[in-house]
Amino acid sequence: MTYGGLATVFLLGMVVLGVAGLWAGTHALIHDRVPGRWFNRTVRNRRLWGTGLLIVLSSVLFLSWTPAVIGLAIIVAGHVIRPTG
């Protein structure tokens, strides 16, 4: 496989992962549910987790590490903090 073909496969994989992350984050934010059994057991605050995932994905748009770090902190908080109410 040539370098151009390998780069194309890599970029297509990144697009697929980005769309899957966008779907999972939006689904968690709107419906307060996360996909999969493992996520249902580990994620306590699903809307917070979805918000963090969407912020991490937006860091690609901004080409900055700051939203990625903030989003990762929010994702971890979604795993730890129990929802109130």
Side-chain angles (χ1 to χ4, degrees):
M1 181 176 281
T2 63
Y3 178 73
L6 187 62
T8 303
V9 168
F10 176 74
L11 288 175
L12 285 175
M14 293 300 290
V15 167
V16 168
L17 286 175
V19 169
L22 182 66
W23 173 80
T26 306
H27 184 74
L29 188 61
I30 293 173
H31 298 293
D32 197 23
R33 295 181 55 146
V34 291
R37 293 180 185 166
W38 184 75
F39 279 128
N40 278 328
R41 286 191 306 243
T42 60
V43 177
R44 292 182 180 172
N45 197 338
R46 292 164 181 87
R47 290 194 174 157
L48 192 62
W49 181 86
T51 304
L53 185 60
L54 291 175
I55 290 173
V56 167
L57 290 174
S58 72
S59 70
V60 175
L61 179 66
F62 293 129
L63 297 174
S64 175
W65 285 100
T66 306
V69 171
I70 292 170
L72 283 174
I74 293 174
I75 287 174
V76 169
H79 280 280
V80 176
I81 299 173
R82 293 181 190 260
T84 59

